[in-house]
Amino acid sequence: MSTEPSLDLWSLQRTYGAGAFRPEELAEIVSARLDAPGGEGVWIHRVSRDDMVAAARSVERRFSAGPRPPLYGVPFAVKDNIDVAGMPTTAACPALAYTPAASATVVEKLLAAGAFLVGKTNMDQLATGLVGVRSPYGVPANPFDARYPVGGSSAGSAAAVARGQVSFALGTDTAGSGRVPAAFTNTVGWKPSRGLLSAAGVVPACRSLDCVSIFSLTVEEAAIVADLACGHDPADPGSRPEADQLRFAGAVAPARFRFGVLDGADREFFGDQEGARLYDEALAELTGLGGEPVTVPFAPFREAGRLLYDGPWVAERLAPFEELVARGAVLPVIAEILNGGFRVSGLDVFRGMHRLEALRQEVRGLLRPLDALFLPTTPTIYTIAEIQADPLRLNARLGTYTAFVNLLDLAAVAVPMSFRRDGLPAGFTFIGPRDSDARLGALAARFHRQVARTAGATGLPLPAPPPPAPPPTGETLRLAVVGAHLSGEPLNWQLTEIGARLVRTCRTEPGYRLYALSNTTPAKPGLVRATSGAAIEIEIWEVPLAAVGGFLSRVAPPLCIGTVTTEDGETVKGFLCEAHAVTDARDITALGGWRRFVHS
């Protein structure tokens, strides 16, 4: 072949669909890319060229007849604390090494979707660090300036994506390990709500906080991978049933939104003027996209982040590795951190848990009026030499805007912006409550498309966004949605996946009441006609008539489909609620719409 294909998902789909390339040929190219200069320290275990080609051939055979799955012939990498059957898992600690008989649940899901594995990537030992320099398997150099790290702990995963060696990679995230490397490599880091992607088959770093994360070149690609990897898994005690109901790809961002920002006193960049300048620029860009900035106090977030290492959670980090620490089998800097767990008492644990619950309650109130909290991913960046000279203090600084997220049970999507004047990447993160992933992804994708210029360190322009869903053909049904199916909300995917198209945002005629229903997952409202009511905000979607039956089969009681009249007199089908279900529900009519309730 005269030219190599791009590894972004849509380019691969087009290339394979046109018959211009086969997965077997791509495996040959990817294997050669792994040997390119500058990529040292990225990998701990690589799939051999012959085995990679054989795996790609297997994908071709499995799907030679019938439809091809979403990740057909897509190369990916896995952080080396995530199990792959028959391949050693080390978590960058040789003394821990074992060879699992089965792959982690998330890996199995991605292989079933047609992807093929390239290898397992380097990391900060035992996933303890945000720097990417704490590994006996070498230090990946930042592809933009070798004096700087790629960040950690998911160092190799971010580097492999940035260098164009894989289409996407799995990492993990406890205190920012799935986001800091994204900021340092000009890539996207998707940190889902805990319990959506199974942690079965993942070496724990801090079991109550860990989650699997995704690195990619675009937010849209990360959302597709997240959709395929998520799902309830009985093998993971932290997995939640809601994981079967939520989807992320194709979410539509609201035209107008409110985002939380730091006030001047809370903006800490440790003297880095470039970090401060870029945050101001990012705020201006986001405002120009329809956002309204709202100042949010950072004190409760900062306090929660400090609990990770100054509180009892350091003992949870020690728990799975106590024996390794006792026999001196971990790096000195890792031992210094984990030894702090021996000083934690039972009283410390309960005091920390109770304080964290109070902080979670406070933060829920701060986030309710917002569509997202918008923060720098890191306040600055340091050279490898600086980090090695002062490993604990500088590592803590890098986690200023990331360490609190899992402790507070939040979701986050980290995206690149324009580059710093010194040529290094910079990133920003959209943060929201648990299960706000779809909305965060939609906002992050819009922002990323506005500000990004290149894809990772490939030198290529950002891959084109996925083709928009074609307008419905044939007969359609106009449907009014009022709650969880609104743009950016958790069930919006049920509309976008069947090719429905947003027509307009409007209000009902006066005469409706809106209630917040109890015991629904995700949270849903109930719209009821009443003799005394108000105009309620709705969206009208055009749904292909052929897909209506399947869509309606998902509508569970007490919701139902009835007739809704808009403020300008249009009559459409729409979501209503059985009257008995609102007897004890909270009346939120005065707010004028579901968004104002969930974000107020």
Side-chain angles (χ1 to χ4, degrees):
M1 295 289 176
S2 58
T3 58
E4 295 184 3
S6 170
L7 297 190
D8 70 274
L9 301 190
W10 299 285
S11 292
L12 285 179
Q13 288 175 0
R14 289 193 301 269
T15 302
Y16 288 146
F21 243 87
R22 294 169 48 211
E24 175 185 347
E25 295 170 297
L26 184 65
E28 297 264 14
I29 290 171
V30 168
S31 182
R33 287 186 183 182
L34 302 188
D35 296 320
E40 297 80 9
V42 173
W43 302 91
I44 292 181
H45 307 289
R46 284 170 39 177
V47 175
S48 71
R49 172 191 168 280
D50 289 346
D51 287 346
M52 198 185 306
V53 170
R57 284 179 185 152
S58 175
V59 169
E60 294 181 38
R61 287 195 300 271
R62 283 161 51 206
F63 304 107
S64 59
R68 291 173 173 174
L71 299 182
Y72 176 83
V74 173
F76 77 110
V78 172
K79 186 177 180 179
D80 197 30
N81 59 345
I82 302 173
D83 285 348
V84 172
M87 187 174 285
T89 297
T90 72
C93 181
L96 177 71
Y98 63 93
T99 301
S103 294
T105 301
V106 287
V107 174
E108 290 288 358
K109 285 175 171 283
L110 297 172
L111 293 172
F116 66 87
L117 185 69
V118 171
K120 302 190 74 178
T121 55
N122 201 359
M123 56 184 283
D124 283 318
Q125 190 174 76
L126 305 181
T128 302
L130 297 174
V131 287
V133 304
R134 301 171 174 176
S135 172
Y137 296 99
V139 176
N142 193 297
F144 297 96
D145 187 331
R147 296 173 299 167
Y148 290 84
V150 297
S153 63
S154 308
S157 290
V161 172
R163 292 181 178 277
Q165 296 176 327
V166 293
S167 298
F168 70 90
L170 296 183
T172 60
D173 190 302
T174 303
S177 294
R179 291 162 281 152
V180 171
F184 289 176
T185 58
N186 196 40
T187 58
V188 168
W190 184 292
K191 191 225 76 72
S193 300
R194 290 196 66 256
L196 298 188
L197 273 64
S198 172
V202 178
V203 177
C206 195
R207 191 181 297 273
S208 68
L209 305 179
D210 299 336
C211 62
V212 175
S213 65
I214 299 162
F215 292 94
S216 62
L217 294 178
T218 68
V219 177
E220 296 93 342
E221 291 172 290
I224 288 173
V225 175
D227 276 351
L228 296 168
C230 76
H232 180 237
D233 180 11
D236 173 15
S239 181
R240 297 186 288 122
E242 300 95 296
D244 289 333
Q245 304 175 40
L246 302 179
R247 295 292 184 275
F248 319 113
V252 179
R256 305 293 300 177
F257 55 92
R258 306 178 83 208
F259 64 98
V261 302
L262 300 172
D263 68 18
D266 281 331
R267 297 184 187 187
E268 178 59 83
F269 296 97
F270 301 100
D272 186 347
Q273 297 303 313
E274 275 298 278
R277 179 184 68 82
L278 285 175
Y279 188 47
D280 285 336
E281 287 190 7
L283 298 181
E285 292 281 4
L286 202 52
T287 302
L289 290 174
E292 176 190 348
V294 179
T295 300
V296 175
F298 191 59
F301 300 93
R302 183 187 296 111
E303 184 181 348
R306 287 173 177 165
L307 287 174
L308 189 60
Y309 289 106
D310 296 340
W313 280 268
V314 70
E316 187 180 17
R317 277 190 174 274
L318 172 65
F321 309 122
E322 181 180 1
E323 187 270 337
L324 290 173
V325 173
R327 61 187 176 95
V330 302
L331 297 173
V333 66
I334 305 299
E336 184 176 356
I337 295 167
L338 297 185
N339 273 322
F342 289 113
R343 298 187 289 273
V344 176
S345 70
L347 287 174
D348 294 330
V349 171
F350 284 103
R351 286 170 179 155
M353 289 170 58
H354 298 160
R355 182 56 187 154
L356 182 60
E357 283 303 313
L359 290 170
R360 285 179 173 175
Q361 184 80 336
E362 183 176 357
V363 164
R364 278 193 285 269
L366 293 174
L367 294 181
R368 278 195 193 102
L370 307 174
D371 289 281
L373 176 64
F374 184 72
L375 299 178
T377 304
T378 66
T380 187
I381 185 171
Y382 298 105
T383 66
I384 293 172
E386 288 172 328
I387 290 167
Q388 290 174 333
D390 192 0
L392 299 184
R393 187 169 67 101
L394 299 191
N395 185 92
R397 285 183 174 183
L398 293 179
T400 300
Y401 300 122
T402 62
F404 60 82
V405 168
N406 285 330
L407 281 156
L408 293 173
D409 200 15
L410 306 177
V413 181
V415 294
M417 195 184 160
S418 55
F419 284 69
R420 298 160 52 99
R421 287 171 177 151
D422 57 14
L424 293 169
F428 296 89
T429 303
F430 292 80
I431 300 169
R434 183 176 76 173
D435 297 342
S436 63
D437 308 67
R439 181 174 69 252
L440 296 177
L443 290 169
R446 182 189 291 178
F447 174 79
H448 188 210
R449 293 280 168 193
Q450 175 71 17
V451 301
R453 299 294 177 265
T454 59
T458 65
L460 299 172
L462 202 66
T473 58
E475 295 185 81
T476 60
L477 175 76
R478 289 167 79 87
L479 180 72
V481 301
V482 69
H485 287 88
L486 292 167
S487 299
E489 297 302 320
L491 297 184
N492 182 246
W493 65 272
Q494 292 183 356
L495 289 167
T496 58
E497 78 166 3
I498 59 174
R501 181 176 67 90
L502 176 62
V503 177
R504 64 180 178 132
T505 299
C506 59
R507 296 190 302 170
T508 66
E509 67 175 1
Y512 290 87
R513 302 204 72 81
L514 190 67
Y515 298 84
L517 302 178
S518 57
N519 301 318
T520 61
T521 302
K524 301 181 183 73
L527 184 68
V528 178
R529 264 199 184 276
T531 55
S532 174
I536 302 298
E537 183 183 22
I538 58 175
E539 288 180 352
I540 296 180
W541 287 70
E542 203 167 57
V543 182
L545 200 57
V548 168
F551 177 79
L552 295 185
S553 69
R554 288 170 159 164
V555 178
L559 299 184
C560 58
I561 301 298
T563 299
V564 174
T565 304
T566 70
E567 59 188 341
D568 56 4
E570 182 181 8
T571 300
V572 296
K573 296 301 179 185
F575 279 86
L576 294 173
C577 182
E578 298 169 5
H580 71 86
V582 303
T583 303
D584 299 318
R586 178 179 171 185
D587 189 331
I588 59 172
T589 305
L591 295 176
W594 181 241
R595 288 193 197 280
R596 290 190 180 180
F597 171 71
V598 294
H599 308 308
S600 66

